[in-house]
Amino acid sequence: MICPAEKELRAVLARFAQARIEHDVRPTGRTSRALEDSTYTLCVTTGTRTAEQALPAADALLEQYKAGRASLSRQDETLAA
């Protein structure tokens, strides 16, 4: 699987969350389509088949990005010393 850029993953998650909220508050044909579309995009982005699988996969990717930033920060501190 190709890993998405962190910024792209966060944008996809935000779009999914917004669609989920709008559909839960006032379900219409438009909100249903928006939720289906954002769910599909989230699944493709995370390499999963369902939202239930995609959300934990996205969390894991975000943790990897966080760990990578922490590692880079420690390397920068070492180089500065």
Side-chain angles (χ1 to χ4, degrees):
M1 176 181 88
I2 297 174
C3 287
E6 181 178 7
K7 186 175 181 178
E8 180 64 27
L9 178 59
R10 289 185 182 280
V12 169
L13 283 167
R15 185 171 157 224
F16 172 80
Q18 184 65 38
R20 176 84 261 173
I21 290 167
E22 287 179 7
H23 186 67
D24 286 350
V25 170
R26 186 168 294 140
T28 65
R30 185 195 61 79
T31 62
S32 179
R33 286 187 298 279
L35 181 57
E36 288 176 17
D37 183 50
S38 63
T39 300
Y40 174 80
T41 303
L42 179 60
C43 289
V44 169
T45 302
T46 58
T48 59
R49 294 181 150 267
T50 66
E52 291 77 17
Q53 295 170 338
L55 292 171
D59 286 342
L61 284 169
L62 291 173
E63 285 297 320
Q64 289 176 8
Y65 295 134
K66 182 179 175 183
R69 282 193 308 274
S71 175
L72 288 175
S73 178
R74 284 192 299 275
Q75 287 176 354
D76 290 346
E77 290 173 4
T78 302
L79 291 174

